[in-house]
Amino acid sequence: MAHDSDLPCDGDGVCMVCKTKPSENESLLCKTCATPWHVTCLSAPPNSMADAVNWECPDCSLPPDVPRVAVKQNAAAASSSSGSDLIAAIRSIESDSSLTEQEKAKQRQELLSGSAKASNLEVVNTDNDVLNILDGSLNCSMCMQLPERPVTTPCGHNFCLKCFQKWIGQRKSTCANCRTPIPPKMASQPRINSALVIAIRMARTLRSGASGGTSKVAHFIHNQNRPDKAFTTERAKKSGKANACSGKIFVTIPGDHFGPISAENDPERNLGVLVGETWEDRFECRQWGAHFPHVAGIAGQSDYGAQSVALSGGYEDDEDHGEWFLYTGSGGRDLSGNKRTNKLQSFDQKFDKLNEALRVSCLKGYPVRVVRSHKEKRSSYAPEKGVRYDGVYRIEKCWRKAGKQGFKVCRYLFVRCDNEPAPWTSDEHGDRPRALPSVKELNGATDITERKGSPAWDYDEEKSCWIWKKAPPNSRKPIQCQNDDDGTKVRKVRSKKNTVSVKQRLLKEFSCLICREVMNLPLTTPCAHNFCKACLESAFAGQSFTRQRGEGRRTLRVQKNIMKCPSCPTDISDFLQNPQINRELMNVIESLQRQIEEENAGLNEDVDGGSDGKDEVPTEEAAETDKCVEDDKEGAKPITETETKQTNKRKRSGDIDDVSPKKSLDKPDVVHNLGEVDSAIPELLV
DNA sequence: CATGACAGGCTT
DNA sequence: AAGCCTGTCATG
């Protein structure tokens, strides 16, 4: 079967047989080792589409006792062990009778991609099934992998954002899975299903971290208490807080601090500002130091550098690709008089002031914090509401070029370089140095600036993370001190070891945004929110899709009723006409539930016996966790253990205050994170 | 419900 | 003192 002449594509994607680079259609990925092969050069190409999907390359389909002659290039590069070690490791997988074929394939794949070491194979075994539950069910039906940046069609099918966009780019207008028409809005503006992102990443993190106790927080929705001192003017107190004083700063960094904000600068929570952390508005974002100016998009000083930028759709030339984006400088607009906005440019931008500050950060290679605002409507990577911290980026190049409006604009190429994964990716690790994207508009650009020397913030191969290679610039501002002399209570975070089952933690991620319980018959709206079918339907109970106009005097054409998604302003009336269950998601939930039940039946002689073990986590940890949430809801009022247990059950349907877009000062904190919610609890001190 | 007016804080 | 990728309410 396997011919000696069969060879895969090399690291550059060039077929090692015919030496050409196969087109995407002619390239076939092995299901086991994910190596690309040139279909037309195969001695035994797959016969059908179905075969192609499950195709295993000649190297991987060899019987286990046949020694691999050639170790594939990517495997060789990834594995520091010798070829014979690799083969031995593969054999040990093959001979493990406790594994299913699928699990074996998975482990072989991990071994070859370098993500597992021979020494921790046993560890991988234990929680590997958590990932497998997702892997079997949630795979993108185009690339057959767990979706990277998952998007969900209204017909309930999940794809990678990239695969989906590629599909749409081929002028396809129906779902690749079931051929249901895709609504134009979904096609042009797919939203990332962040519940899936979290779940996939969590499964991966728990798998690779084995214990799970050390996993970092990666997604965090936050609503701190409102400022101690804010709203100085009368008008600002009432409304239009755009000009309000933005209140107390919670972090202890100076205004000209570069790079991530770490735990030691966060006396409030001792966490630091986490990637994925989301605030209601620019003022709250400012209070956590991610981006200080509350109107301007750039924070910086022309003789010093720029510390942060906001992407909020203010400049039409911006272009967002997630891990990299093209940013436009400020200025060029007539803002004389009282104007804050004027979308029209009337003169060229120059590299001065804030634009120069960005250029300094480019030249020095400083990390620049990036926040994305919901106001950036054109980007799939923007949050649906509020302002989100997305980590640090480096400005690799900048230049000037005529923008869409004809006047020159300053342009910046930002590339992500953060140790934490971006909020939209289910990948469990942060950035690696990546090749610069080719930017077409550089042709004909002027004033092109590139960094000459080595960057101050760079990737350290030994430590496998991004660090300051040169000392960060000294702050020129006095460090602001926190004064807690007003008697406000300070919360400290203490870490606690995790005892909650991995599967239970994962299951909790699949909660309905209405009832807050694990979803029953999950639906995913086109705006990427997940609900129980019953909850969503009851939210619109009694409403009809259309209404008559004109009070019956004369019959006008019927008008559609707007039906807003319970957690965002999107009109989902079309979706509600024929909502399709996200069956892939449902399968995942059901198999998690089944396995948890089995575990409980096996282990649990249960003390109080009353727990259903399904959507409640029957451990002390869970009580503590909820205590944390309740605690914040109640303000700083201490809660006794018994009270906690009583309030443990969440309020039922209708309690969706914390997902409605605009809410006020007493909004409950919604803590939604990966690891810390189970491993850390707040404590009241004085 | 899209567009526009505009208030009045904070940084450069 | 000029400038700013806000946020809200008032319009048709």
Side-chain angles (χ1 to χ4, degrees), chain A residues 70-132:
Chain A
V71 175
K72 282 186 283 292
Q73 287 207 349
N74 54 353
S79 170
S80 57
S81 58
S82 70
S84 62
D85 282 349
L86 193 65
I87 291 165
I90 292 174
R91 281 193 186 146
S92 88
I93 296 168
E94 300 284 359
S95 59
D96 187 344
S97 56
S98 71
L99 298 174
T100 66
E101 276 314 303
Q102 196 188 12
E103 285 162 351
K104 285 182 187 175
K106 199 77 207 142
Q107 293 201 356
R108 284 195 302 262
Q109 184 176 341
E110 275 156 7
L111 194 67
L112 288 168
S113 65
S115 64
K117 291 174 193 72
S119 59
N120 66 11
L121 278 177
E122 318 89 282
V123 179
V124 170
N125 268 347
T126 49
D127 281 327
N128 206 12
D129 47 357
V130 176
L131 190 58
N132 281 348

Side-chain angles (χ1 to χ4, degrees), chain A residues 386-407:
Chain A
V387 183
R388 186 187 65 209
Y389 174 60
D390 286 346
V392 293
Y393 288 62
R394 258 186 350 205
I395 305 167
E396 303 294 348
K397 279 180 191 179
C398 53
W399 60 92
R400 283 208 308 159
K401 174 124 197 182
K404 289 186 175 164
Q405 295 185 15
F407 293 94

Side-chain angles (χ1 to χ4, degrees), chain A residues 76-263:
Chain A
S79 170
S80 57
S81 58
S82 70
S84 62
D85 282 349
L86 193 65
I87 291 165
I90 292 174
R91 281 193 186 146
S92 88
I93 296 168
E94 300 284 359
S95 59
D96 187 344
S97 56
S98 71
L99 298 174
T100 66
E101 276 314 303
Q102 196 188 12
E103 285 162 351
K104 285 182 187 175
K106 199 77 207 142
Q107 293 201 356
R108 284 195 302 262
Q109 184 176 341
E110 275 156 7
L111 194 67
L112 288 168
S113 65
S115 64
K117 291 174 193 72
S119 59
N120 66 11
L121 278 177
E122 318 89 282
V123 179
V124 170
N125 268 347
T126 49
D127 281 327
N128 206 12
D129 47 357
V130 176
L131 190 58
N132 281 348
I133 291 169
L134 301 189
D135 205 341
S137 317
L138 281 180
N139 289 352
C140 165
S141 23
M142 296 190 216
C143 67
M144 303 310 290
Q145 311 282 325
L146 269 176
E148 185 60 27
R149 292 140 221 238
V151 297
T152 307
T153 57
C155 45
H157 297 110
N158 303 298
F159 303 96
C160 308
L161 175 66
K162 287 217 167 114
C163 293
F164 181 79
Q165 286 175 329
K166 201 184 284 176
W167 181 255
I168 295 298
Q170 291 164 0
R171 297 167 180 262
K172 303 287 191 353
S173 58
T174 57
C175 171
N177 197 323
C178 69
R179 307 289 157 185
T180 303
I182 295 167
K185 184 146 190 220
M186 164 87 196
S188 62
Q189 260 181 36
R191 305 297 305 192
I192 290 164
N193 189 340
S194 44
L196 288 188
V197 169
I198 297 168
I200 294 169
R201 195 194 296 168
M202 180 188 250
R204 285 180 173 154
T205 314
L206 293 172
R207 193 271 320 267
S208 59
S211 73
T214 55
S215 65
K216 297 243 180 82
V217 178
H219 224 80
F220 195 92
I221 298 171
H222 162 78
N223 269 297
Q224 251 304 327
N225 301 330
R226 299 308 293 185
D228 293 350
K229 255 202 305 178
F231 310 132
T232 49
T233 67
E234 282 307 308
R235 181 185 187 276
K237 278 177 193 162
K238 282 183 270 175
S239 60
K241 57 184 174 176
N243 285 306
C245 167
S246 41
K248 180 177 169 183
I249 307 293
F250 296 123
V251 290
T252 57
I253 56 163
D256 54 2
H257 169 86
F258 285 90
I261 299 163
S262 57

Side-chain angles (χ1 to χ4, degrees), chain A residues 241-246 282-283 286 291-297 340:
Chain A
K241 57 184 174 176
N243 285 306
C245 167
S246 41
R282 288 279 295 267
F283 305 95
R286 169 188 161 80
H291 184 65
F292 279 110
H294 58 269
V295 174
R340 291 290 171 78

